[in-house]
Amino acid sequence: MAPTMDVDETNSPPKKKTHTSPSASAESASPHPSMSLAQDIHRLVMVHTGKLSTEDARQIMGMDPEALLQIVMDKVGTGGKSVQDAIKDNEERLKHRTEAEEPAAAAEKAAEDELQQPLLNPSLYQHLVSMLACPAPLSPSDLATLAEHHKSSISTLKSLITKAQEEAGDMEVLSAKLAVARYCTKCCSKEEALEAYEEVVGSLKLSVGKKLDGYLEMARVCSFWGDWKRMGEVLDKASKVIEKGGDWDRRNRLKAYKAISYLLVRDLQSASKLLVDGIATFSCTELCDYPEFIMYAVVTSLLHLPRTELKKSIIDGSEILQVANDIPAVLKLANTLYDCDYTQFLHGLVALNHHLIANRYLQTHAGYIIRELHLLGFRQFLDSYQSVTLESMAASFGVSIEFLDLQLSRFIASGRLTAKIDNVGGIVETNRPDWKNARYREMIQKGDLLLNRIQKLGRVVDL
């Protein structure tokens, strides 16, 4: 989110390091909606609902939640200005943009300027006040005044579309439509923004690259408002468009978006493949920053990459080592698992859990990920033994025998661990399956099921 607004410098969020440069298409992308703002809002919600403690939030965000709340509300509202002053400033920026003689240069300057300005978004402001139960400096009448101002501004921008259709070419028409869509994204509701983008991607004579850019910006709007289903539908349309062509850079950006969509539906294996492939070519800075992208890659790879590949791509990966200081909890977890330091591995899981809860894409899957990582550690330990005492295993993990017995029992009962516990002797015995026979039995079972279905179908056909 933009740090320069009418708040004290001491309350400004810490600036994040940039480890990669945005691509050409990423630089032309709309600065709104801001995914970092979405993450800040999510963390405030987690603190408000008690899912994330104030102390953990302070360590992750680098500032008090109260200070971040003030910054977020100023950013979404009027930046600490009066409604009249904020509207006047917005009208001036809109006037300069519509009267510029060089649209491309004006658009580039406007994009830079947008990062510094408050959103003036009444829909989002009301949503935050309701969700966070926080004080609202802007009254309902103030928000209504902002909404009326935006209607007038959008009408002005739409008049430029008509003018471009009558006096200019296809590129000017597209630029005018994009201006409406991006203004709605910044200042209006999700529905208004998506409706405006539908006008953009529905334009005739639109190139594959420009249409894909439109779909990716639509996906960001859906992501910002938490409409994961609509985001998946938009990315499916983008995937069909990219099959008709598209440059290398846009293909890489689409992979990053699809990786995030896989995270949302808990398809961590598919996400891991795309994330690892994108480590060396990441430039999708409008979606997330590089350390955040690496965190997703490491967490998903721990669950699905073979040990040798994990060492090559994650533990010793040069790109990952560059951001080691930004994501210490995640990399500590990967290293302790690889080094078989199971006590520190479990400590790392506790630290990781706070980061998962604080992340809007991973929070709903935090329990699942922690449970699967527990299972991964137990499997790796037991793979080295035919049998081991509960006492020895508990000492290796730094937990009590009772806790270990409870955890192992759950995984064994659900068929996730091929082992059995002898409580009388205090021993865990591994029971490695004969994979050849297991596959044979599975094939026989599926074959029987298929024959039964064919017979039932035959009876229906005979009738």
Side-chain angles (χ1 to χ4, degrees):
M1 57 182 292
T4 54
M5 56 189 83
D6 291 345
V7 295
D8 293 338
E9 185 66 25
T10 54
N11 285 337
S12 298
K15 294 182 180 179
K16 298 179 180 178
K17 299 177 182 177
T18 302
H19 297 274
T20 184
S21 299
S23 62
S25 50
E27 285 182 334
S28 64
S30 170
H32 301 294
S34 167
M35 293 297 101
S36 62
L37 175 61
Q39 288 285 17
D40 288 339
I41 292 172
H42 170 78
R43 288 163 182 164
L44 290 172
V45 171
M46 291 299 100
V47 172
H48 177 70
T49 57
K51 296 179 180 178
L52 188 66
S53 71
T54 301
E55 182 59 32
D56 291 333
R58 186 181 297 114
Q59 291 180 358
I60 293 171
M61 299 183 300
M63 63 191 311
D64 289 329
E66 294 81 4
L68 179 62
L69 176 61
Q70 179 64 44
I71 292 173
V72 167
M73 296 306 293
D74 279 350
K75 178 66 176 176
V76 173
T78 59
K81 301 176 182 178
S82 68
V83 171
Q84 290 72 23
D85 288 343
I87 288 176
K88 183 179 179 181
D89 291 345
N90 196 49
E91 287 175 341
E92 285 295 320
R93 288 193 299 274
L94 189 63
K95 181 180 179 181
H96 288 312
R97 190 183 310 173
T98 55
E99 293 179 354
E101 295 181 1
E102 301 180 17
E108 182 178 352
K109 185 178 184 305
E112 296 176 358
D113 183 54
E114 285 297 325
L115 293 173
Q116 313 297 326
Q117 304 302 326
L119 302 184
L120 311 181
N121 192 319
S123 298
L124 183 56
Y125 193 90
Q126 287 178 313
H127 177 68
L128 293 183
V129 170
S130 173
M131 187 167 50
L132 299 175
C134 58
L138 298 181
S139 66
S141 61
D142 290 335
L143 298 179
T145 301
L146 286 175
E148 285 299 319
H149 164 67
H150 294 324
K151 286 182 181 179
S152 174
S153 299
I154 292 171
S155 177
T156 300
L157 291 172
K158 285 184 176 180
S159 68
L160 297 181
I161 299 177
T162 305
K163 182 179 179 181
Q165 290 172 334
E166 295 172 350
E167 303 177 4
D170 294 334
M171 289 304 298
E172 289 75 15
V173 173
L174 175 62
S175 296
K177 288 183 177 180
L178 266 178
V180 173
R182 290 175 175 179
Y183 188 92
C184 290
T185 298
K186 174 190 172 186
C187 302
C188 303
S189 66
K190 177 191 71 175
E191 289 75 16
E192 291 172 290
L194 292 179
E195 183 180 349
Y197 271 113
E198 288 289 356
E199 290 288 327
V200 173
V201 297
S203 300
L204 299 176
K205 300 180 182 180
L206 192 62
S207 68
V208 169
K210 293 297 183 182
K211 180 167 288 191
L212 182 62
D213 289 343
Y215 278 128
L216 293 184
E217 291 191 17
M218 285 181 70
R220 282 170 56 207
V221 173
C222 297
S223 173
F224 183 88
W225 289 94
D227 191 346
W228 311 129
K229 181 180 179 181
R230 183 74 179 273
M231 178 183 177
E233 293 172 352
V234 170
L235 291 178
D236 287 341
K237 294 178 181 178
S239 298
K240 293 179 181 178
V241 170
I242 203 70
E243 291 174 359
K244 302 177 183 178
D247 55 60
W248 173 83
D249 175 63
R250 287 186 172 93
R251 288 179 181 272
N252 283 334
R253 290 177 62 214
L254 179 58
K255 283 184 179 181
Y257 278 79
K258 292 183 71 174
I260 297 298
S261 71
Y262 285 138
L263 288 179
L264 294 169
V265 297
R266 201 178 286 182
D267 186 356
L268 302 186
Q269 187 169 6
S270 298
S272 174
K273 184 179 184 303
L274 293 178
L275 290 165
V276 172
D277 288 346
I279 288 176
T281 59
F282 177 80
S283 59
C284 203
T285 52
E286 79 279 7
L287 182 62
C288 63
D289 61 28
Y290 193 53
E292 184 181 335
F293 184 83
I294 293 297
M295 183 188 78
Y296 300 144
V298 174
V299 170
T300 55
S301 296
L302 282 175
L303 294 173
H304 294 288
L305 279 188
R307 184 176 171 85
T308 53
E309 186 64 26
L310 184 69
K311 172 71 170 175
K312 176 183 176 182
S313 301
I314 302 299
I315 305 296
D316 294 336
S318 58
E319 294 89 355
I320 292 178
L321 294 177
Q322 290 178 4
V323 298
N325 293 332
D326 297 303
I327 50 173
V330 178
L331 292 185
K332 176 185 176 182
L333 189 72
N335 282 288
T336 53
L337 177 65
Y338 186 82
D339 295 336
C340 302
D341 185 353
Y342 297 109
T343 298
Q344 292 302 315
F345 175 70
L346 288 191
H347 290 169
L349 286 180
V350 175
L352 176 67
N353 188 54
H354 304 316
H355 289 273
L356 296 179
I357 292 174
N359 187 281
R360 63 195 302 262
Y361 300 125
L362 299 178
Q363 181 263 326
T364 55
H365 312 304
Y368 169 81
I369 292 172
I370 295 298
R371 184 170 62 252
E372 291 299 303
L373 288 172
H374 264 108
L375 176 61
L376 180 63
F378 292 149
R379 278 179 176 168
Q380 180 172 292
F381 180 88
L382 291 174
D383 279 345
S384 303
Y385 298 93
Q386 185 68 39
S387 64
V388 62
T389 64
L390 280 169
E391 182 180 2
S392 175
M393 186 173 179
S396 296
F397 281 89
V399 297
S400 67
I401 294 177
E402 292 76 13
F403 175 84
L404 180 64
D405 179 66
L406 176 63
Q407 295 296 315
L408 291 177
S409 298
R410 289 174 175 173
F411 288 128
I412 292 171
S414 61
R416 305 299 304 283
L417 270 180
T418 55
K420 60 182 180 180
I421 300 175
D422 179 2
N423 278 325
V424 176
I427 294 173
V428 181
E429 297 180 0
T430 58
N431 180 23
R432 295 184 180 85
D434 185 338
W435 294 111
K436 183 180 290 186
N437 288 333
R439 287 195 295 269
Y440 175 76
R441 287 193 297 270
E442 182 183 7
M443 182 181 67
I444 294 297
Q445 291 173 352
K446 290 182 177 180
D448 288 341
L449 180 62
L450 177 61
L451 288 173
N452 289 335
R453 289 178 176 175
I454 291 175
Q455 289 174 352
K456 290 179 181 180
L457 180 61
R459 296 191 196 103
V460 173
V461 172
D462 290 340
L463 292 175

